[in-house]
Amino acid sequence: WVLPALTNGGSAKILSMLRVFRLLRLAKVLRVVRVMKAFEPLRVLVQAVFSSIGALLWSMALLFLLEIIGAILLAQLLASVIKDETQDLQLRQKIWNSFGTMVRSWLTLFEITMAPGGFLQHRYLFDDVNPVVSFVIAVYVFIVTFAIIRIITALFLKETLSASDEEHRRQMAHRRERRQEYAKRLCSSLEEELEQAHIDRNGLATLLTFRRFTDWLDDASLTTF
C-alpha cells in the first residue's frame, strides 16, 4: 500500500512524514548527555523540571484562582464608576480597558502578578476614583505577588536541590560499585597467584601507590599510616 500512495498525489506528504521520522535519530544525542560529565547541570535541571511538574500545576491552579477572585472583586468595585456618566469620559474608558469585564480585569491582575511594578500604572485610581480600590490592589500585591510567588519560588528551589542531591547520591553509589568491583578483582587475582590472600610489606606499599586502591580503603573506612 506504500507504493500506490507514493505514485498518487500524496507522495509529497508521505515523504515529508518520513523526513520527520528521521529526526528521531536525534534521540541518540540524549545518550551522550546522560554519559558525559559536562552535561551534569543539564541533567539536574531536566530532572528537577520533571520532578516538579505536579507542584507547577498546583501552583498555576492556585494563582489562577486568586487572580479570578481579585478580578471579579475589582470589576464589581469599578463597575459603578464606569457606568457613572458624571465621571470624566477618558477616565471611564481607561478603567474599562483595564477592569471593564472579568476577562479584562483578569488580564490586568495577571500583569500585576507577573510584571514587576505592574501595579504602579494604576496609581491614578487612588486620586481619581477611590482609595479603597488602591487598598485592594495593595493587599493583592502583598499576598499574591510578594508572599505566594516567593513561596512557589522556594518550592521550585527545593525541588532543584533535591534533584541535585539525588544525582550526587547516584554518582557516589556508582563510584562505590566500581571500587567494590575493583576490590573483588584484586582479591581474586591475589588468590590465583597465592594459596592464601596474604601480601608482605613491600607488596602493600606497592598497592598503596595506586589511587584506586587507596579510594577502596577509604570506602572501607580503613586508614594508612
Side-chain angles (χ1 to χ4, degrees):
W1 58 273
V2 176
L3 292 178
L6 291 175
T7 56
N8 294 330
S11 59
K13 295 182 179 179
I14 294 178
L15 290 177
S16 62
M17 292 178 60
L18 293 177
R19 293 192 186 97
V20 173
F21 284 116
R22 292 181 60 184
L23 294 177
L24 295 178
R25 296 182 180 178
L26 295 177
K28 296 180 180 179
V29 180
L30 297 178
R31 299 179 183 177
V32 180
V33 173
R34 293 179 58 184
V35 174
M36 293 186 63
K37 187 176 180 181
F39 291 97
E40 180 180 350
L42 178 60
R43 293 198 302 270
V44 173
L45 180 60
V46 173
Q47 184 177 358
V49 170
F50 280 102
S51 61
S52 60
I53 289 178
L56 174 63
L57 295 177
W58 282 111
S59 302
M60 292 174 59
L62 178 60
L63 286 178
F64 180 75
L65 179 62
L66 294 175
E67 289 172 359
I68 289 295
I69 294 175
I72 294 175
L73 179 60
L74 289 175
Q76 292 294 325
L77 288 176
L78 296 172
S80 58
V81 180
I82 296 174
K83 297 178 181 178
D84 190 1
E85 297 182 355
T86 60
Q87 297 287 342
D88 183 63
L89 181 60
Q90 293 182 354
L91 175 63
R92 294 167 59 193
Q93 290 178 347
K94 190 174 183 179
I95 297 175
W96 165 260
N97 292 331
S98 300
F99 304 97
T101 61
M102 194 275 293
V103 177
R104 292 174 181 269
S105 184
W106 173 74
L107 291 175
T108 300
L109 283 184
F110 182 81
E111 294 175 355
I112 293 175
T113 304
M114 298 301 175
F119 62 94
L120 295 176
Q121 59 182 339
H122 306 288
R123 176 68 174 77
Y124 67 93
L125 295 174
F126 183 86
D127 299 323
D128 298 336
V129 181
N130 197 326
V132 176
V133 180
S134 297
F135 177 76
V136 172
I137 295 177
V139 171
Y140 177 86
V141 171
F142 286 143
I143 296 177
V144 179
T145 305
F146 178 76
I148 295 181
I149 292 296
R150 280 162 176 76
I151 293 174
I152 293 174
T153 304
L155 178 62
F156 280 100
L157 179 61
K158 176 179 176 296
E159 295 292 339
T160 304
L161 294 177
S162 299
S164 178
D165 293 339
E166 183 66 24
E167 181 70 18
H168 179 69
R169 287 193 296 267
R170 187 182 297 108
Q171 291 182 356
M172 293 300 296
H174 180 66
R175 293 176 182 175
R176 192 177 297 109
E177 291 177 357
R178 292 181 58 185
R179 291 171 183 174
Q180 290 176 355
E181 182 181 356
Y182 172 75
K184 291 180 181 179
R185 292 200 307 266
L186 179 62
C187 293
S188 62
S189 62
L190 289 175
E191 290 177 357
E192 292 177 358
E193 295 179 0
L194 302 174
E195 294 180 357
Q196 296 180 351
H198 294 163
I199 57 176
D200 56 5
R201 291 180 178 272
N202 294 328
L204 180 61
T206 302
L207 289 176
L208 291 177
T209 58
F210 294 98
R211 175 64 181 275
R212 297 179 64 182
F213 183 76
T214 56
D215 292 337
W216 172 73
L217 292 178
D218 293 337
D219 292 336
S221 299
L222 297 176
T223 56
T224 59
F225 299 97

